[in-house]
Amino acid sequence: MLSDLTAGALADAAARRESVSYADVERAALDQIPALNALEFLAPADRIKVIAEVKRASPSRGDLSAIPDPAALAQTYAAHGASTISVLTEGRKFKGSLEDLRAVRAAVDIPVLRKDFIAEEYQILEARAAGADLVLLIVAALEQDVLSRLNTFALSLGLTVLVETHSREELHRALEIEAALVGVNARNLSTFELDRDLFGTLVDEIPTGTIKVAESAVRNADDVRHYREAGADVVLVGEALVTSDPAATLTSFLEI
């Protein structure tokens, strides 16, 4: 499934490139105001921090929420304590778009993450041109030389990179490129099965000074507490927020 999602994202990027050339998107990216330093917003604190996600659907769960106004949802997140907003821009399975990202960027003054299946520089330039402050790189989707190259490229644009892992081997690959923001995703992107204890089994191998993000398997405040007690600095939450009262749910998470 991950390879299919990545191939689809690359095909969609190629289609966009027919109308917006590499040179044009590069120019737009370089003309953007500087990206916010997401590491400062997500730095470890006395309480857990939350990356709150604008997420309409997923391959494992299907439709979650229509989200007719992603900017309004993002404003709700920001007003109730989110440290960063994640925007799913993949259109085939997650029903997102770069237009969602642009709308969210215009609506909030906290960092915005482009969450997609990124495998080439063009997609990173698109993210910066749309106002993103962070991009996601999924270790499992990329050969190590490509992961390293894309990480360096994103950093050169002033972006923060969330490097997502799903195993000990992938974590070591993330640390090899000196990732400053490392996510451990409980969801296996091949089978979509969840391992709620994966973060806890790997966290001790993440160096001090690296921001630790727990992803997936957050249904309620008890799950947030579970991750916090295991050593998470940040949780990334989508489904639990978009399928509930996002303000009340987010508030309960931030009380942990």
Side-chain angles (χ1 to χ4, degrees):
M1 176 62 77
L2 178 57
S3 60
D4 290 341
L5 289 167
T6 303
L10 284 172
D12 292 341
R16 290 190 297 273
R17 195 167 175 171
E18 291 295 317
S19 57
V20 184
S21 70
Y22 188 101
D24 286 342
V25 77
E26 181 179 42
R27 188 176 304 109
L30 296 176
D31 284 345
Q32 273 286 347
I33 62 173
L36 296 172
N37 185 347
L39 297 180
E40 293 180 355
F41 285 80
L42 297 172
D46 293 339
R47 290 191 174 182
I48 197 79
K49 293 187 175 179
V50 174
I51 300 174
E53 194 156 80
V54 177
K55 182 178 185 179
R56 292 193 177 90
S58 75
S60 61
R61 300 286 290 170
D63 290 345
L64 299 172
S65 177
I67 311 181
D69 191 343
L73 178 59
Q75 288 174 325
T76 297
Y77 288 158
H80 290 84
S83 295
T84 292
I85 308 296
S86 170
V87 182
L88 258 303
T89 60
E90 196 275 343
R92 299 183 182 211
K93 296 294 186 180
F94 292 89
K95 299 186 177 181
S97 68
L98 284 166
E99 286 69 31
D100 290 342
L101 179 61
R102 294 186 188 98
V104 169
R105 170 70 287 156
V108 299
D109 58 5
I110 59 176
V112 177
L113 163 69
R114 181 187 186 185
K115 194 175 183 191
D116 209 319
F117 299 88
I118 292 174
E120 65 175 14
E121 286 82 356
Y122 184 84
Q123 294 166 292
I124 296 173
L125 289 170
E126 286 184 314
R128 184 80 275 271
D133 306 287
L134 309 88
V135 290
L136 177 74
L137 294 180
I138 302 172
V139 173
L142 303 168
E143 296 295 333
Q144 189 66 8
D145 61 335
V146 178
L147 174 66
S148 179
R149 188 186 80 233
L150 294 180
N151 179 66
T152 298
F153 184 76
L155 294 176
S156 75
L157 294 172
L159 290 161
T160 299
V161 181
L162 172 58
V163 183
E164 180 176 294
T165 68
H166 305 82
S167 68
R168 178 169 283 103
E169 186 269 337
E170 290 179 16
L171 174 59
H172 290 171
R173 288 178 56 198
L175 299 180
E176 184 178 317
I177 64 168
E178 300 182 343
L181 184 65
V182 172
V184 176
N185 194 335
R187 188 178 302 281
N188 184 310
L189 293 183
S190 296
T191 66
F192 293 110
E193 294 178 355
L194 290 171
D195 180 354
R196 300 178 190 280
D197 295 317
L198 179 63
F199 179 89
T201 65
L202 298 180
V203 66
D204 287 344
E205 300 184 38
I206 303 176
T208 301
T210 302
I211 299 174
K212 307 167 185 67
V213 184
E215 303 178 48
S216 297
V218 178
R219 303 160 300 177
N220 51 46
D222 287 339
D223 292 325
V224 177
R225 184 175 294 104
H226 173 75
Y227 278 139
R228 181 62 167 174
E229 291 175 351
D233 302 309
V234 182
V235 289
L236 190 154
V237 189
E239 182 178 338
L241 294 175
V242 301
T243 58
S244 67
D245 177 337
T249 301
L250 182 54
T251 297
S252 72
F253 289 175
L254 290 169
E255 291 173 349
I256 303 303

